[in-house]
Amino acid sequence: MPELKRILHVEDDPSIQAVARVALEAVGGFQVLSCCCGQDALDQVQGFAPDFILLDVMMPGMDGPQTLEKLRQLVDIGQIPVAFMTAKVQPSEIEHYRSLGARDVIIKPFDPMQLATQIRAIWSQAHG
Amino acid sequence: MDKRQQQLADLQQHLQLLGEQFAQRLREELPQLADKAAQLQLAADPSEQLQHLGELREQLHKLAGSAGTFGFAELGQRARELELQTQQWLSSLQLQQQGLQAFVQELQQLASSHEQPATANPVAPTSSGLSKAPRSESAYRIYILEDQAKVGETIRLTLNTFGYQARHFLTTAELDTALAEQLPDALIVDVNLGNSQQTGLDYAEALQKRLEEPLPLLVITTQNDFHTQLQAARIGAMGFFSKPVDVAKLESRLERCFAQQNGEPYRVLIVDDDRDLSSRYSLVLRGADMLVEVVNDPQQLFEAMGRFNPEVLLLDVNMPDCSGPELAQMVRFNDDWLRVPIIYLSAETDIARQMSALIKAGDDFVTKPISDNSLIATVFARAQRARLLSTALARDSLTGLLKHADIKEQVVIEQERAQRNGKPASVVMLDIDHFKQVNDSHGHAIGDNVIRALANLLRQRLRRIDSLGRYGGEEFMAVLPDCSGEQALRIIDEIRQQFSAIRFAGEHSEFSVSLSAGIACAQGQSPDALMEQADRALYLAKHSGRNQVRLAS
């Protein structure tokens, strides 16, 4: 299984951005690039070359699913797993996000101590 | 501390900092959110309303997703419910005025409940000293439901002299209106409401069910029977008082309710060689606002206990080098730690073996796998009890103030501090006038109420940095750092006036009591000399006719 190192995190809320960065860098030992919106992610994704993409669903302007749609044209999401983050928890919605190409959905609010573990689990499933 | 523990501690600190920043953001954003909701009510046309609603939904959604991550789980939950409400309005395109009213109130309440930082910060000394009433801005709001005007007014006035913000209502309808505007911090209800069919308890029961979190409730009644008390207990009453109500006792109970709510977080020490499990427990307990420290190596336990001073000890039963019960016995060798409850964490379900562990030392068992809730509940219950006991032992049992030796110790500390930083400090000696007559004509129980009332009044009116002690029978001493003699004179004289306005319920009639006080200000004299000056000023006050405050010249 390839090693998971670089994570691209797209999130418009600065508080969540900061806590996720701590959770992924300090707890998980990953390298994180935070983007504040979909366009920012599209501009940086090729330069950063992430192993994993974490996408907030509800963002002003381009939302998570729209961003994913555009990301697919730039990178191979078969190789770079994408997970959505959202506060909504209906099973039908999770199915819907999967159908868009996401590997899984991380439910907000998340536990900062557990986030890295959750992402590793998604990673190993994607590459298992 | 090994490297890993250090990293974990740094991380926790970092997360805590982020949590504080988030709390700061809440204090700014929640009022804005409440304002936006209020605008909804004023919005003239439907398209404007829809736009506001859409924005509100977006912000509530964010809050619902983020608050829990920073330890504000309940706020997140409520934001989620409000988000669903906006969602429903948006999809039905129908706004009900009544629902909207409740919605706006809920948001306003959320905003006001997050006005203060989540962790209690000790009040910093201020140069303005005692010139303003310490509590006035954050006075607790108390609502009183009492159909007898005179009784209700007496309670209201007395509570106000204690620094509360009390309001009195004659009917449930009046109370309903007030509740719709703003919830109080505590509610006092009379059981019998004149000729109304519904009793005060029925009313309170229905009210508590409507509320997200029940209000602290005190019950007053002429019906002192078992059945009424049972109903009161069932709806969560924290106090039950027979008429005629002794307001000082009532106040003392309120004081206790709020002290429980605002206490410092409980300190818990976990000893478990399993790092993953112990950090899991730690996270769960921290989530319940406790301070937690973890020791993975039993040999470090005593060093950690000395430094961290835990209120509860969680011990794993099976560890490689020594067992939990062995450790517990060693803890019990030290008298200083006798008060610390010990809870075993164990996969042991064999009752007999659990019993034998408990007989050696230890107080309780939680069996692995432990659900988060049962861990929190067990630790919380033990910590609460331990703290109550410990406070009871360290403090004067009647008043909850410092004892004689401890308050004298405070005089020494503050006198030294005043000398160091060149700021004034005042020492106050107070004595209740003609206290013997109170005891003789009304009995010792009522005399005790008078003493307790003065203790509570002093506690309410003085700042947190001030120290207060019961010096002798009816004699009190207070040490006021960073406070000149003139400032002290002003505040103590205010307290004197308020104290003499309190009406006590006597054996056959109501009565009131006065106090005398003497004040001395630290100016380089020794602590003993300082206390003696204050005592002489008190003597002078007594001999000039009592009911007055004197400043030593």
Side-chain angles (χ1 to χ4, degrees):
Chain A
M1 184 166 57
E3 198 190 345
L4 170 56
K5 273 194 290 198
R6 301 155 77 79
I7 299 179
L8 182 76
H9 180 212
V10 192
E11 165 69 61
D12 63 307
D13 183 329
S15 301
I16 291 292
Q17 224 183 62
V19 76
R21 177 188 281 277
V22 172
L24 295 174
E25 288 181 343
V27 184
F30 304 123
Q31 205 180 323
V32 180
L33 177 71
S34 310
C35 294
C36 63
C37 64
Q39 189 55 53
D40 192 13
L42 295 178
D43 292 343
Q44 305 214 46
V45 66
Q46 282 163 322
F48 182 63
D51 304 313
F52 192 102
I53 297 173
L54 192 54
L55 258 181
D56 184 35
V57 170
M58 205 190 259
M59 293 185 287
M62 204 190 303
D63 69 9
Q66 286 167 340
T67 307
L68 175 59
E69 197 45 49
K70 295 238 165 93
L71 278 171
R72 295 177 82 135
Q73 296 161 16
L74 297 173
V75 294
D76 178 7
I77 64 164
Q79 289 306 310
I80 307 173
V82 176
F84 277 124
M85 258 198 178
T86 179
K88 293 201 174 149
V89 285
Q90 300 291 332
S92 62
E93 287 173 61
I94 295 184
E95 271 324 300
H96 170 65
Y97 294 134
R98 285 222 172 96
S99 73
L100 299 178
R103 291 288 173 158
D104 211 337
V105 176
I106 289 174
I107 308 291
K108 284 181 174 180
F110 61 86
D111 177 345
M113 301 298 286
Q114 297 295 320
L115 185 62
T117 315
Q118 281 174 285
I119 286 179
R120 268 189 223 285
I122 299 172
W123 175 260
S124 43
Q125 267 186 355
H127 290 278
Chain B
M1 221 190 263
D2 65 23
K3 192 165 167 240
R4 214 194 120 136
Q5 273 178 304
Q6 184 59 49
Q7 279 174 346
L8 197 67
D10 288 348
L11 175 67
Q12 294 290 2
Q13 205 179 4
H14 201 150
L15 288 177
Q16 196 188 341
L17 187 70
L18 288 172
E20 280 159 18
Q21 286 168 358
F22 185 76
Q24 175 60 37
R25 216 181 100 180
L26 286 180
R27 285 195 285 281
E28 287 158 20
E29 285 183 3
L30 284 174
Q32 290 169 7
L33 215 53
D35 284 349
K36 192 168 274 180
Q39 281 169 21
L40 257 185
Q41 287 177 298
L42 302 173
D45 63 300
S47 75
E48 198 182 332
Q49 272 196 338
L50 278 182
Q51 194 201 331
H52 281 311
L53 257 184
E55 287 169 12
L56 268 173
R57 184 187 60 155
E58 199 170 302
Q59 282 174 286
L60 286 167
H61 178 84
K62 272 206 153 46
L63 203 54
S66 57
T69 295
F70 297 97
F72 297 92
E74 196 202 325
L75 173 68
Q77 190 55 41
R78 287 168 79 175
R80 174 82 179 140
E81 283 154 20
L82 291 172
E83 182 207 343
L84 289 176
Q85 176 76 72
T86 54
Q87 181 71 48
Q88 197 195 341
W89 282 330
L90 277 169
S91 54
S92 67
L93 294 175
Q94 235 176 14
L95 255 173
Q96 285 155 340
Q97 208 53 39
Q98 210 177 5
L100 188 57
Q101 178 77 24
F103 179 82
V104 172
Q105 270 163 22
E106 170 99 18
L107 268 173
Q108 284 166 345
Q109 203 199 326
L110 276 185
S112 66
S113 61
H114 286 270
E115 268 168 13
Q116 297 298 322
T119 46
N121 289 322
V123 176
T126 53
S127 52
S128 61
L130 293 162
S131 51
K132 58 184 177 201
R135 283 221 72 107
S136 61
E137 294 141 43
S138 56
Y140 288 117
R141 268 189 311 279
I142 315 290
Y143 288 177
I144 306 155
L145 177 61
E146 167 61 66
D147 63 308
Q148 289 170 288
K150 189 165 168 288
V151 177
E153 275 310 288
T154 311
I155 298 177
R156 183 182 74 80
L157 289 171
T158 312
L159 288 181
N160 284 347
T161 59
F162 276 121
Y164 292 95
Q165 212 184 83
R167 290 176 65 184
H168 167 220
F169 307 95
L170 288 164
T171 63
T172 54
E174 281 176 32
L175 179 55
D176 276 332
T177 318
L179 286 169
E181 279 166 28
Q182 193 168 32
L183 285 175
D185 297 299
L187 181 65
I188 300 172
V189 295
D190 187 5
V191 174
N192 299 322
L193 297 175
N195 36 28
S196 156
Q197 282 293 317
Q198 191 191 31
T199 71
L201 287 181
D202 297 337
Y203 174 81
E205 186 173 355
L207 172 68
Q208 300 282 48
K209 277 186 191 148
R210 289 208 304 274
L211 298 173
E212 190 109 0
E213 235 178 273
L215 285 171
L217 174 72
L218 302 183
V219 174
I220 52 183
T221 181
T222 43
Q223 257 171 291
N224 199 359
D225 58 290
F226 183 79
H227 183 77
T228 312
Q229 289 199 27
L230 181 63
Q231 193 189 353
R234 281 188 178 152
I235 60 173
M238 300 175 91
F240 192 89
F241 299 87
S242 300
K243 283 183 172 180
V245 176
D246 185 324
V247 188
K249 264 193 185 163
L250 190 82
E251 196 280 330
S252 146
R253 187 63 56 93
L254 278 175
E255 173 89 26
R256 204 162 83 200
C257 292
F258 295 127
Q260 266 174 18
Q261 281 181 358
N262 303 333
E264 295 281 302
Y266 292 123
R267 291 188 307 279
V268 183
L269 185 65
I270 303 175
V271 188
D272 195 329
D273 60 310
D274 184 328
R275 284 166 196 272
D276 290 337
L277 264 183
S278 52
S279 55
R280 166 89 204 135
Y281 300 146
S282 158
L283 202 69
V284 168
L285 294 175
R286 275 170 218 249
D289 291 330
M290 299 186 206
L291 285 179
V292 185
E293 207 168 296
V294 176
V295 169
N296 294 118
D297 175 3
Q299 291 204 27
Q300 286 170 5
L301 170 63
F302 298 104
E303 186 267 323
M305 285 197 76
R307 176 171 39 81
F308 182 62
N309 196 13
E311 290 173 290
V312 174
L313 194 55
L314 282 175
L315 291 181
D316 186 21
V317 168
N318 296 307
M319 286 179 284
D321 299 326
C322 70
S323 75
E326 284 164 352
L327 265 183
Q329 279 175 281
M330 285 154 72
V331 168
R332 292 295 184 238
F333 286 157
N334 189 331
D335 282 352
D336 291 348
W337 296 331
L338 277 179
R339 282 183 211 154
V340 183
I342 295 174
I343 305 172
Y344 294 116
L345 299 163
S346 138
E348 201 60 72
T349 43
D350 175 356
I351 297 285
R353 283 173 67 181
Q354 286 194 359
M355 290 302 143
S356 88
L358 285 184
I359 281 169
K360 282 190 188 130
D363 304 277
D364 210 344
F365 249 97
V366 273
T367 309
K368 295 174 184 175
I370 299 160
S371 81
D372 294 355
N373 286 338
S374 78
L375 181 66
I376 292 171
T378 310
V379 172
F380 189 86
R382 288 288 170 181
Q384 179 174 263
R385 181 107 188 104
R387 185 176 288 184
L388 271 176
L389 264 180
S390 154
T391 324
L393 289 172
R395 303 243 157 185
D396 174 59
S397 60
L398 180 62
T399 60
L401 303 183
L402 294 174
K403 289 180 181 171
H404 184 95
D406 298 304
I407 185 68
K408 279 177 85 170
E409 179 67 32
Q410 286 303 312
V411 176
V412 176
I413 291 171
E414 292 305 336
Q415 190 270 344
E416 280 169 1
R417 196 203 306 272
Q419 216 156 25
R420 248 195 340 268
N421 63 17
K423 287 184 173 164
S426 296
V427 168
V428 186
M429 296 280 242
L430 289 104
D431 193 90
I432 300 174
D433 295 330
H434 298 301
F435 184 69
K436 191 168 174 300
Q437 285 179 16
V438 176
N439 271 342
D440 289 349
S441 41
H442 303 282
H444 285 277
I446 286 174
D448 284 354
N449 285 343
V450 173
I451 287 177
R452 214 180 289 121
L454 178 55
N456 290 341
L457 180 61
L458 286 166
R459 218 185 344 236
Q460 286 276 349
R461 302 291 310 181
L462 297 181
R463 302 163 302 175
R464 259 203 250 180
I465 53 166
D466 301 329
S467 310
L468 253 175
R470 186 169 173 214
Y471 198 67
E474 66 270 22
E475 205 173 354
F476 294 77
M477 183 150 80
V479 190
L480 317 177
D482 195 4
C483 176
S484 71
E486 288 72 25
Q487 286 172 319
L489 182 68
R490 202 159 51 227
I491 187 80
I492 299 295
D493 199 57
E494 261 178 49
I495 293 175
R496 177 191 62 80
Q497 290 170 27
Q498 284 168 336
F499 183 64
S500 61
I502 299 176
R503 306 289 301 167
F504 292 97
E507 195 77 324
H508 309 289
S509 60
E510 284 189 351
F511 66 98
S512 57
V513 189
S514 65
L515 66 81
S516 304
I519 299 169
C521 188
Q523 282 156 337
Q525 68 276 54
S526 74
D528 281 338
L530 188 58
M531 282 183 272
E532 205 192 307
Q533 281 178 359
D535 207 27
R536 264 207 305 270
L538 170 62
Y539 181 83
L540 203 62
K542 288 275 183 191
H543 281 261
S544 315
R546 297 185 170 81
N547 194 16
Q548 54 189 281
V549 185
R550 284 297 181 106
L551 181 58
S553 46

